[in-house]
Amino acid sequence: VQLQASGGGLVQPGGSLRLSCAASGRTLRGSAAGWFRQAPGKEREFVAGTPRSGGYTYYTDSVKGRFTISRDNVNNAIYLQMNSLTPEDTAVYYCALGPRTITSSLRNPDAYDYWGQGTQVTVSS
């Protein structure tokens, strides 16, 4: 299974980016999907996730109302739409796939089996 993340870059505060994560080797259907981020000197943190059953989305408090996670089971891709970006959102963003991840563990990076390589998001004026 390979996850290829893309869409990162440099954006000014208040701007938007859309991250994509293309999956190959395994269908997304039936797997939990998540986005995590890691800033320099900090631990990897949960950003957004959707459970194996789909239909629901979960976010860390700091991004609620600004970020939206979505999945396309036909094209086997996960997306993260990020709006109203702030410098505090600067980090490397990782997508993750969890065929065995239960909903209560969505926020736990150890619960995921597959990871993308990360894409850098920098928010700066």
Side-chain angles (χ1 to χ4, degrees):
V1 178
Q2 288 191 331
L3 300 179
Q4 182 70 39
S6 62
L10 173 64
V11 63
Q12 291 186 343
S16 298
L17 282 175
R18 187 189 193 214
L19 304 184
S20 299
C21 179
S24 59
R26 185 183 184 98
T27 178
L28 288 183
R29 198 179 303 275
S31 293
W35 286 96
F36 291 75
R37 65 187 179 186
Q38 188 166 18
K42 295 187 176 181
E43 293 186 352
R44 189 169 298 190
E45 67 166 346
F46 170 81
V47 176
T50 177
R52 289 185 292 175
S53 60
Y56 294 92
T57 55
Y58 300 84
Y59 301 93
T60 192
D61 287 346
S62 63
V63 309
K64 283 180 181 177
R66 300 188 299 122
F67 290 12
T68 302
I69 185 173
S70 60
R71 60 195 294 163
D72 184 343
N73 288 340
V74 173
N75 292 311
N76 233 32
I78 311 162
Y79 305 100
L80 185 68
Q81 177 67 42
M82 306 186 296
N83 299 326
S84 302
L85 285 161
T86 73
E88 288 68 36
D89 295 316
T90 295
V92 178
Y93 283 70
Y94 299 89
C95 56
L97 197 62
R100 302 175 298 162
T101 307
I102 59 176
T103 303
S104 60
S105 297
L106 270 180
R107 300 172 186 270
N108 181 2
D110 294 334
Y112 292 79
D113 292 313
Y114 306 107
W115 290 85
Q117 83 286 5
T119 183
Q120 176 70 46
V121 172
T122 303
V123 185
S124 175
S125 55

